[in-house]
Amino acid sequence: MATKIRLQRGGRKSYAFYSIVIADARAPRDGRFTEKIGSYNPNTNPATVDLNFDRALYWLECGAQPTDTVRNILSREGVMLMKHLRGGVKKGAFDEATAQKKFDAWKADKQKGLEKVAAEEAKAKKDAEAKALAEEKKVNEAIAKKVAEKKAAAVAEAQAAEAEAAEVPAEETPAEA
């Protein structure tokens, strides 16, 4: 029996959520499966993967063939690397402790990279917010300037009207006397 490690679709319309399952190669995508080894949610940023590492490694070593998407997921999680390192141990290229050290070093390096990307995204978001705030301040200053000009024009107009009103009765008074 040929086994596959594949995705099984779940979730509502336009919001796919996948289970990572071990299934017979002849079974339909959402049909019978042997074992569920994890889940994959592509809707989050970054995509969320919950994987039983040991079971995925076991099934790979038993000969289960992952689909392309699952192969990428397993590579990102380090399952494919661990399979490769275990193959080196079986061939006698190095011992189990060395393989574990190499894997731990890879995992630490990957974690540093993820933290760096997260920090860059946070900085970019903060810079964008600061830029938006500066633009909003400029717009508010322009609006405040226009309002001040309108108020100054209204005050000047009112003063001109008062001056006119004061001049008109003064001219009429001497003419009547």
Side-chain angles (χ1 to χ4, degrees), residues 109-124:
D109 187 43
K110 181 159 176 89
Q111 190 63 33
K112 286 180 186 176
L114 292 175
E115 289 172 359
K116 182 179 176 184
V117 168
E120 288 174 358
E121 286 180 2
K123 184 177 184 246

Side-chain angles (χ1 to χ4, degrees), residues 2-19:
T3 55
K4 286 268 195 194
I5 304 175
R6 66 167 55 159
L7 296 176
Q8 185 177 45
R9 193 182 193 285
R12 67 177 190 266
K13 183 178 180 181
S14 300
Y15 194 84
F17 183 87
Y18 299 94
S19 296

Side-chain angles (χ1 to χ4, degrees), residues 97-113:
T98 306
Q100 190 62 42
K101 284 181 186 177
K102 287 183 179 184
F103 181 75
D104 292 340
W106 174 84
K107 195 75 164 174
D109 187 43
K110 181 159 176 89
Q111 190 63 33
K112 286 180 186 176

Side-chain angles (χ1 to χ4, degrees), residues 138-154:
K138 286 180 184 177
V139 169
N140 288 343
E141 288 174 2
I143 292 172
K145 186 176 179 182
K146 287 180 183 178
V147 168
E149 288 174 359
K150 284 184 181 179
K151 284 185 179 180

Side-chain angles (χ1 to χ4, degrees), residues 121-132:
E121 286 180 2
K123 184 177 184 246
K125 185 177 179 183
K126 187 177 179 183
D127 291 345
E129 288 175 357
K131 184 178 178 184

Side-chain angles (χ1 to χ4, degrees), residues 84-96 98-99 102:
H84 175 73
L85 291 172
R86 281 196 176 178
V89 169
K90 287 179 185 174
K91 291 178 182 176
F94 43 84
D95 62 342
E96 186 70 34
T98 306
K102 287 183 179 184

